[in-house]
Amino acid sequence: MTSKFRRAGSAVAIVAALGLALSACGGGSDSGSDGEGGSDTSSITFIPKNLGNPYFDASDKGGKNAAKEIGTKWSQVGPTESTPDSQVSFINTATQQRAGALVVSANDPTAIGDALEEARNAGTKVVTMDSDTEPQFRDIFVSQADAAGIAKSQVELIAEQIGGKGEIAVLSAAANATNQNEWIKLMEEELTANHPDIKLVQTVYGDDDDQKSFDKTAGLLQSHPNLKGIISPTTVGIAAAARYLSDSQYKGKVALTGLGTPNQMREYIKDGTVKSFALWDPEQLGYLSAYAADALASGDIEGKEGDKFEAGDLGEYTVGADGVVVLGEPTVFDESNIDDFDF
Amino acid sequence: MSLLAEKVEPRTYAAHAKPWWQRTLMTRDAAIIALLVVVWTYASIVILNFSDPITVYFLVLDITPILLIALPMTLIIITGEIDLSVASVVGLSSVLFGVLHREGVPMVAAMVLALLACAVAGAFNGVLVTRFGLPSLAVTIGTMALFRGIAVGALGTTAITDWPDAWGDVVQARIGDSQIPLMTVPLVVLIVIFAVVLHFTPFGRGIFAAGLSKDAARFSGVNVDRTKLILFTLSGLVSGLAGIYFTLRYGSARGDNATGLELQVVAAVLLGGVSIFGGRGAIPGVIAGVVLIGTIGSALRLDGLSANIIQIITGVLLIAAVIAASVLGWTGRIVGTYRRHHSSEEPSSKQSPERKRSE
Amino acid sequence: MTTTLDAPAPAAPQPRNRAAGRLTSLLKQRETGIAIAFVALLVVTTAVNPNFLFSTDGWRDLTLTPAILVCLAIGQAMVIVTRNVDLSVGSTLGLTAYLAGRLFLDTGLPVIVVVLIAVAAGAVLGLINGVLVAFAKVPALVITLGTLYIYRGIMLEWAGSDRINASDIPPGLLDFGTGSFLFIPNLAWISLALLAAAIYLMRSTRVGREFYAIGSDPAAATLYGLRDKRRVLQAFATSGALAGLAGILYVSRYGTISSGVGQGIELEAVGAAVVGGVAIFGGSGTVLGAALGAYLLTTINRALPVLGIPDFWQQAVVGALIIGAIVLDRYFARRQHDKLLAEREEA
Amino acid sequence: MPDTPAALELRDVAKSFGPVRALRTGSLRVEAGSIHALVGENGAGKSTLVKIVAGLYRRDAGDYLLAGEQVDFRNTADAKQAGVAVIYQEPTLFPDLSVTENIFMGRQPTNRWGKIDRAAMRTEVVELFARLGVPIEPDRPTEGLSIADQQLIEIAKALSLDAKVLIMDEPTAALSGNEVDRLMTVARTLRDQGCAVVFISHRFDEVFALCDTITVMRDGAYISTDPISAVTEDEIVQRLVGREVSNLYPKLEATVGKPMLEVKGLTRTGLFHDISLTVREGEIVGLAGLVGAGRSEVAQAIFGVDPYESGEVILDGRPVPPGEPRRAIEMGLAFVPEDRRQHGLVLDAPISRNITLPTSGRLARTGLISTGIENRSAADWAARLEVKAATLDTVAGTLSGGNQQKVVLAKWLSTQPKVLIIDEPTRGIDVGTKSEVHRLLSTLAQEGLAILMISSELPEVLGMADRVIVLSEGHQTAELSREEATPEAVMRAATAHHSTTLNVSEAS
């Protein structure tokens, strides 16, 4: 069996060489983790729900700008799919790197909790933004706007567009997304309380996947011939829904609103598919989160109610109950102002 | 003594053609273990924070589900079949466990019931493959969608997240003050059990024989169908276990837990030297394959590289591993031919290309 | 041939009633079964909600939505017929779609050139699969599982978090993707044209018949002197090219290219082929069956919510359908086998 | 040398695989319009030679001439193009494709758009089948056809090629009497039409009945070529083996004891009906019949790898459960199957694993088994059977046919059986090992083993068996004592008809 001998020997050599080559190429690219070993109190790691999402691209941009102003190291890593288990690996990695602070947009309120606890035990400060975990897992939650405010504004936008009555539906992101579910719940309450003639007939989930959201929109319109409006409180969803509507028979007949970025929606505002939608500025959200993270990491604040910190251009913020920091009210975009924004 | 009369002098045989160290070190398993050592050493030296003991802790927790499922998967692939439904069974287990828990079933009972259901799901694959004689690839692509669909359908939009902390803590506990997770203990026990069953029992001998030649195994008294049925059931059971682990570790029962895990498991098993044609493979190599993929991922993430590069490397490693065998086999054929045809009449010890249809 | 043989008197092949025979064989065919299932689904769903079929959008979605999967299923069927499988089509689709998007964004190339480049790129990616499968003699399942990771990884790494929006795509292409001709969407026309070409290729050319031969018995193919390596390469390249085209169709229909484009669609393509009667171990099945399988799967996805079944159950239904299809196939194959044996005993 | 070039001529063709010289001096000269026998033991190089002619292998040295022209084929398509057709022992057809497609695969008539002309194909096939007298539906798939029908399709394929050289590699191995007759008729017709036919067979009766010339090969080398009328069977055998063969059937006297294996009324529809037989201690019972008579099927049903519908099997007074080979082995039944490479051995596994596979449960006393335990057991049994191999981890597939058979025997004798069923004990092994196997069977019987031996070789059955049971078309047609068992008696019983549906074309 000399051949087997030879074969195995060469296999060792080749595979080992391959491994070396791979790890060498890995070692070659350093993105902000070199420097002194051990704890790195002055670094901030952003972990969005997933990469390739324009919303988080904007918030990352804000975070990066803030880090530059503060003079700390900044990096962004994340999974390609927005699932909690893939996020955990990246949280763990940040723990290993002894990052000073983590800014996470949670894919699940509890699933990533243990990993965050592990990180905090290792001395890393944890800020959640956009989508929160349960309060005990993080130091501060930077909220884009308070949930009730968002829900109310969404309902008002749609009510105005459909004339206060008729069937509406919601196109959400993942079925487990904390913030989405909370908004939907609050929207329902708002509808019952103030708009009894509007009926929410169905909530569908596009998983922040473009094609899925697109197809779900088609499904909604078919299953509910009397549908008057759609609320899609997620940037991927609203864009996909707008694109579907824009060249369907429903264009202009079925109203659409929700949360979207101006760059995505500009076209549909201009062609009349969408009248208005809302969003806070995600760039500001990232910017504020980075400042909050830095304030925690440098020990300026502890995340208790009443703690105050400076957030660069945005001015001073106060930590509210449960460690929540609220960015502010969302901006409503329509034909009149959309060209003033670029994100 | 000789049965063939007349001659008296009995023949003697060396047990092996090569000394023990060659048989141990010059194998695919040894190669993959060596590669693991090289990568680990390299990463420890070059990559910041990799040598930190906490790396081991996270690594073990991360690879546990893959490792668990890789064990029965190894056995199944050695018999020449494949089970692509494992990750969906993980999801199914997670959801069942969650729903039962939500309905107030005690934790242990919920766990046992979920595991039983997963064993049944595995047996369902097994029955379709053995009784109906269907190709396992097609069957498990179907059940992959079916089981995942049931899991997602049963729980719909919700995730069940109200788990008693104590259970999650057990899953994530460390042994004493070390950075070695407590999970390592049952994991090692399972690995040992699978290794012994595969390599040191008559059942294991049957598994290899069935993979190399289904007919010859059957004609030698190996109950090939029953063996496969047992393995598929086992695969369901262990995947169910992985689902319980998943649920407790993340404190969240979701229908889409572990989506895509099946490909990672298959990649790790094949990387670990198991032949997709069946009949060859060993547990140590598979463990090394799983750990290797985990280590590369961990090291690259620490180095700030994205998940994308890790995907590319997994793919390249997988292809390189299978091609290395066949390319080297090709170059080694000239040498091999001598051995092979030394005493044989026909230049065709090549296997007749097996007809993969069961009629 | 001028020879004659004085062999025993021939019992000449009985010319049966061919028309009747054709009808029964048509009814027995898998394609007919799938088509009937498809029509039944349409009828039931439309009865529940007439909009499903009888509205502009209902009709459009019915014909448009399956177009992309049909493309992939045709390629997949060709590969499976040669006793291989291509799991990388989803990643190929993603990579070519992004490539096309980048070309639109970064270069001013005319649409048709970009389309050709994307198709060619898909063919090259398919060819890589084919070369690895044919020459390294490694099962296609393993190779394409590897390239599934690699192609997807390359796309993600290249794209980073860049996303291509509808505004980056030439409006002409987008209009084409959503437009229709003679009440049938353009994309559906494309997929139907491809289907017709593929049917012709598989039924009536040597290349197609040799695909079947190679999948039916690779050893016999060698003895026949068929160029099996070349054929396997061709099958994979075609599958890749079709995935590339599917990438373009995706761009023209959805306008947005994000990181997840085409993820998991490879299994739908395999599922469509299997449901459509393509045997997973090669040698039998038709591209028409695979295309009908694609129509059935996509339409089920859309029909379930209309029928009041939460769309979470879609996957379960698809899975049950795949299992049902292969069990049924085996049942019919056994019956056919027994029948042939019985005929032999009689003879 | 005659003036006209031969249709096919090979001169000193050599082919090596690595250092192994499969063919050293392959020479063959076949005239057009003749049937030429090519004989040799397994391993003599016939198959290599055929594969070179067919274009499957390329020769290393020597000349290959077709009608006087040097040729060098890169693949089988080239050879076909040049008019060389080969019919292999096992037909190689595409089971999923129609009969017509199989005949034309790779060279279908096409129009200028590349469209296959199906109508033309079908017309030609109908015509071919009419001439061959084949009642096969051209549009049906080849799956499910009998070997004989498949062989006819191969012949039709060769005819449609307008082959000038037709090589038939053991075409009759799996055919029944009628089918052999039909095949020979076809071969003669082809000869009369000027085709050069090469006929490879181990059956001398066929060779002498059919062929005009005979070439003998041994150890990869050419030995002799003679007109068939100039040689006798004994001379040919001597040349084949290279030495005098004596005492091929060393039958020893054994005491016959109590019944060990009793089979009562075993039936499986379509394959065998109401088979009853008894094998006693120390007795060798021969199970004779033509190929396809159902002998192997009966044996496999007794052993439990195949099912049966009714009847029972009793071993040493205890019933053997159906469909459980493992139980049968435990009870003392051993079965050496006919197809060694497919059923007898795990070709890719080492000798030791092969020998210990059926006994691994017994060897694992603590429930565990190790290579050491296996090797000890395997070494013992390999030595008793004198398996020629250097080490126990030699892969079984690399052994010669004879040595493989010894490994199979070692494997089954290691189970310490009470009853041994052996199907074609000496198929495909050289003459030397053949007599060793026969001596072994005699010795085992003398030691009290009950042996049921299936064989297609009449001399083997007559030489070894104490009693002969004959099957025909699945029915038991005779049970003959050693004295009664003459070749004529056995053949008469083997060709006896049981059902009226099968008495076709006796005239041919």
Side-chain angles (χ1 to χ4, degrees), chain C residues 6 32 88 93 136 139 172 179 181 197 216 224 227 244-245 261 313 324-325 327 333:
Chain C
D6 48 349
T32 322
S88 72
L93 186 157
F181 174 68
S216 188
Y224 268 73
R227 284 165 295 191
L245 187 70
V261 174
W313 290 97
V327 169

Side-chain angles (χ1 to χ4, degrees), chain D residues 301-337:
Chain D
I302 294 174
F303 185 62
V305 287
D306 282 354
Y308 50 86
E309 283 144 17
S310 59
E312 61 176 329
V313 178
I314 293 163
L315 197 140
D316 199 11
R318 292 190 297 159
V320 180
E324 287 190 46
R326 162 71 66 198
R327 277 293 295 145
I329 295 167
E330 282 164 10
M331 292 174 72
L333 190 59
F335 177 49
V336 176

Side-chain angles (χ1 to χ4, degrees), chain C residues 31 59 236 246 252:
Chain C
E31 290 77 6
W59 168 251
F236 272 103
S252 75

Side-chain angles (χ1 to χ4, degrees), chain B residues 93 96-101 104-117 163 167 244:
Chain B
S93 155
L96 286 175
F97 186 34
V99 169
L100 289 169
H101 172 64
V105 178
M107 285 292 275
V108 175
M111 223 179 265
V112 171
L113 285 173
L115 286 178
L116 272 178
W163 298 95
W167 285 88
I244 305 260

